[in-house]
C-alpha cells in the first residue's frame, strides 16, 4: 500500500466510522433509551431504525449521481447539519415519537457523509486494503463505544449520548479535507456504462440485495443482544465486557483481507464468514452461562467484520468509480433499518428466541444470494 494512499485511507476510515457510530453502538443506545427515557424497549429499537431509513434513502439518491459528486463538500455540509440535529436530539430525547422523526433526518445527514467516505476508496489503488482499515477503525470505535455507553450509562444518560455523537461529528470535520473532489486530486475512472446501467445488472442487483439481507440479519440480533444479556441476569460490567471483546475480535478479522487480498476471490471467503454467524447464533439460542455467551458473541463480531471487508471489495470490483459501493451502502443501511424494525415486531413480549431465529433465516437467505453470484459468474464464463 502506498504511503500517501495510507494517509488518505486513514482519513476516509475515520469519517466513515464516525458517521456510522450511532449504528456501531446500537445495543447500548437502545439500552440507554430504554432505561433513561420514557421510550419502551420496542420504541427504542424504532429510534435506531428511523436513522437507518434516512441514510438508506439518501444513499440511493447519491448512488445515481456518484460519478459527478464532490465528496469533500458533501461530507462537510452534511456533518455540520448532523451536529445541529444531534444537539436538537439531546434536547428532545424524551419526546416520544418526535425523537424518531428527528433521528430520521440525522440518518440522512450521517448517510451523506458516510457514502462520501466509502465511495472515496475505489478512486485509489489497493482499495481493498483501505476497506480493511475502515472496518478495523469501525470495530475499534464500536468496541470502545459499546463498553463505555453500557458501563457508564447512568452517568451519560440519553442527553449525554447525543452530545457525544455531536462531538464525534465535529472531529470528523477535521478529516474531510482528504476526501477527493472530482475536479481535483483524483479524476474518476472512465466508464462505458451509466450508474443506472451498472446498478441494474443481474450480478449487481443480486449482490446489493444480498448485502441488504446480510445487514438486516446482523442488526436483528445486534439490536437486542444487550437486552438479551440483561434478561439472562448478567451484570452491566459483564455485558460491557462481552460487547467490548466481541467487537474487538472484529479487528483481526478485518485485517485478514489486508494480508490475503483477493487471492481466494471475494465470495468463497464471504460464505465461510456467514456460516460462522449462523452457527454462532444457533448456539446462542440455548446459552445460559456468561462464558458461552461471551464466546459466541465474539464469533459473531469477528464474522461480521470479516464478511464486510469482502462484501465491500466485491462491490468496488463491480465499479471502480464508486456507484455500486454507494448503492451497496444504501442497501446495507436499508437492511440495517429493517432489521431493528422487524426485530421489534418479532420481540413481542421479550421473546428473544424468535428474534435470533429471524436473524438465522435472514443469514441463510444472504448465503443463498451470494452463492448464486458464483454460479452466475461461472455460467457467464462458460
Amino acid at each position: 500500500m502506498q504511503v500517501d494512499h495510507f494517509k488518505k485511507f486513514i482519513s476516509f476510515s475515520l469519517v466513515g466510522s464516525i458517521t456510522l457510530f450511532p449504528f456501531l453502538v446500537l445495543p447500548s443506545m437502545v439500552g440507554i433509551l430504554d432505561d433513561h427515557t420514557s421510550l419502551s424497549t420496542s420504541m427504542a429499537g424504532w429510534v435506531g431504525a428511523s436513522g437507518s431509513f434516512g441514510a438508506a434513502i439518501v444513499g440511493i439518491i447519491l448512488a445515481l449521481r456518484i460519478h459527478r459528486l464532490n465528496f469533500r463538500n458533501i461530507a462537510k455540509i452534511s456533518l455540520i447539519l448532523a451536529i445541529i440535529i444531534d444537539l436538537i436530539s439531546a434536547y428532545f430525547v424524551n419526546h416520544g415519537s418526535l425523537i424518531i422523526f428527528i433521528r430520521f433526518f440525522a440518518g440522512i445527514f450521517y448517510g451523506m457523509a458516510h457514502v462520501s467516505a466509502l465511495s472515496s476508496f475505489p478512486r485509489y489503488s489497493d482499495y481493498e486494503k483501505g476497506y480493511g482499515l475502515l472496518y478495523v477503525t469501525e470495530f475499534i470505535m464500536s468496541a470502545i463505544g459499546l463498553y463505555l455507553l453500557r458501563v457508564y450509562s447512568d452517568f451519560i444518560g440519553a442527553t449525554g449520548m447525543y452530545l457525544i455523537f455531536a462531538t464525534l461529528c465535529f472531529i470528523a470535520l477535521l478529516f474531510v479535507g482528504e476526501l477527493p473532489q472530482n475536479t481535483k486530486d483524483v479524476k474518476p475512472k472512465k466508464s462505458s456504462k451509466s450508474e443506472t446501467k451498472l446498478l441494474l445488472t443481474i450480478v449487481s442487483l443480486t449482490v446489493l440485495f444480498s448485502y441488504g439481507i446480510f445487514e438486516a440479519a446482523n442488526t436483528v440480533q445486534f439490536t437486542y443482544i444487550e437486552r438479551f444479556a440483561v434478561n439472562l441476569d448478567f451484570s452491566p460490567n459483564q455485558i460491557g465486557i462481552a460487547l467490548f471483546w466481541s467487537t474487538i475480535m472484529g479487528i483481526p478479522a478485518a485485517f485478514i483481507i489486508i494480508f490475503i487480498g483477493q487471492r481466494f476471490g471475494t465470495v468463497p471467503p464471504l460464505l465461510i464468514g456467514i456460516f460462522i454467524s449462523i452457527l454462532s447464533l444457533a448456539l446462542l439460542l440455548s446459552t445460559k452461562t456468561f462464558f458461552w455467551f461471551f464466546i459466541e458473541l465474539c464469533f459473531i463480531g469477528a464474522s461480521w467484520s470479516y464478511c464486510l471487508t469482502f462484501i465491500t471489495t466485491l462491490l468496488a470490483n463491480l465499479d471502480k468509480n464508486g456507484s455500486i459501493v454507494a448503492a451497496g451502502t444504501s442497501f446495507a443501511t436499508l437492511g440495517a433499518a429493517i432489521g431493528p424494525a422487524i426485530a421489534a415486531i418479532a420481540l413481542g413480549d421479550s421473546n428473544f428466541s424468535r428474534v435470533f431465529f429471524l436473524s438465522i433465516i435472514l443469514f441463510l437467505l444472504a448465503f443463498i444470494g451470494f452463492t448464486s453470484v458464483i454460479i452466475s459468474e461461472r455460467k457467464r464464463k462458460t
Side-chain angles (χ1 to χ4, degrees):
M1 188 188 306
Q2 298 180 33
V3 175
D4 58 332
H5 289 185
F6 178 78
K7 292 178 180 178
K8 289 183 181 295
F9 288 163
I10 289 293
S11 295
F12 300 169
S13 297
L14 287 170
V15 175
S17 298
I18 288 173
T19 50
L20 199 65
F21 191 72
F23 172 75
L24 296 177
V25 296
L26 184 60
S28 293
M29 183 180 77
V30 169
I32 285 178
L33 292 174
D34 188 18
D35 293 338
H36 298 278
T37 70
S38 58
L39 301 178
S40 65
T41 304
S42 178
M43 189 72 77
W46 278 102
V47 172
S50 65
S52 295
F53 275 121
I57 291 171
V58 77
I60 294 271
I61 295 171
L62 293 179
L64 296 174
R65 296 187 58 83
I66 202 72
H67 295 176
R68 295 172 287 279
L69 295 179
N70 185 314
F71 296 144
R72 189 181 304 171
N73 288 346
I74 289 174
K76 189 181 298 182
I77 294 169
S78 58
L79 281 169
I80 292 172
L81 293 172
I83 292 171
I84 295 172
I85 292 293
D86 282 335
L87 294 176
I88 294 173
S89 299
Y91 183 79
F92 289 103
V93 72
N94 278 300
H95 287 67
S97 57
L98 179 60
I99 190 65
I100 296 177
F101 180 73
I102 293 171
R103 295 315 295 174
F104 172 80
F105 285 96
I108 290 176
F109 301 131
Y110 272 87
M112 289 171 67
H114 186 68
V115 167
S116 298
L118 262 67
S119 299
S120 297
F121 285 99
R123 302 293 176 90
Y124 302 88
S125 60
D126 297 329
Y127 58 84
E128 74 276 7
K129 296 178 181 178
Y131 285 127
L133 286 174
L134 168 70
Y135 293 117
V136 167
T137 306
E138 283 186 7
F139 276 76
I140 289 174
M141 291 188 64
S142 180
I144 296 172
L146 285 169
Y147 178 78
L148 294 179
L149 287 177
R150 175 60 238 179
V151 175
Y152 298 102
S153 59
D154 290 339
F155 174 75
I156 295 171
T159 297
M161 178 180 68
Y162 286 122
L163 292 177
I164 290 172
F165 291 174
T167 302
L168 288 173
C169 285
F170 177 79
I171 293 172
L173 273 173
L174 304 177
F175 295 93
V176 295
E178 291 294 329
L179 269 64
Q181 296 174 295
N182 282 349
T183 55
K184 300 177 182 179
D185 302 331
V186 181
K187 292 183 179 179
K189 299 175 179 64
K190 292 182 180 179
S191 174
S192 59
K193 294 184 178 181
S194 67
E195 290 96 332
T196 304
K197 288 182 179 179
L198 285 167
L199 292 171
L200 293 180
T201 63
I202 296 297
V203 172
S204 294
L205 288 173
T206 303
V207 172
L208 290 171
F209 277 102
S210 298
Y211 188 17
I213 294 169
F214 172 82
E215 283 298 271
N218 275 301
T219 53
V220 162
Q221 58 83 15
F222 194 53
T223 303
Y224 291 112
I225 196 70
E226 185 267 353
R227 295 287 93 181
F228 172 70
V230 170
N231 192 60
L232 291 176
D233 292 325
F234 298 150
S235 70
N237 191 54
Q238 284 179 312
I239 298 170
I241 289 172
L243 290 172
F244 175 82
W245 283 106
S246 67
T247 312
I248 285 294
M249 289 303 295
I251 297 172
F255 264 115
I256 291 174
I257 197 170
I258 295 177
F259 291 109
I260 71 171
Q262 301 182 58
R263 193 177 309 160
F264 304 102
T266 52
V267 178
L270 169 60
L271 296 178
I272 293 173
I274 295 176
F275 175 77
I276 292 172
S277 295
I278 294 170
L279 181 61
S280 300
L281 273 172
L283 294 172
L284 195 65
L285 284 167
S286 59
T287 294
K288 300 296 181 185
T289 66
F290 177 73
F291 174 79
W292 286 112
F293 173 79
F294 178 86
I295 296 297
E296 289 147 11
L297 206 59
C298 284
F299 274 105
I300 291 171
S303 62
W304 194 352
S305 171
Y306 167 85
C307 289
L308 284 174
T309 59
F310 286 100
I311 292 174
T312 316
T313 300
L314 176 60
L315 294 171
N317 287 345
L318 296 173
D319 175 31
K320 299 297 190 300
N321 284 324
S323 63
I324 308 295
V325 172
T329 302
S330 182
F331 273 76
T333 308
L334 182 60
I338 294 172
I342 60 178
I345 296 170
L347 180 67
D349 188 19
S350 297
N351 192 331
F352 294 103
S353 294
R354 196 158 55 195
V355 170
F356 294 147
F357 269 124
L358 175 60
S359 183
I360 290 172
I361 291 170
L362 291 170
F363 271 126
L364 287 171
L365 291 174
F367 188 95
I368 294 169
F370 284 118
T371 301
S372 70
V373 173
I374 296 180
I375 296 172
S376 63
E377 281 296 290
R378 285 177 179 175
K379 286 182 178 180
R380 185 179 62 84
K381 290 178 181 179
T382 56

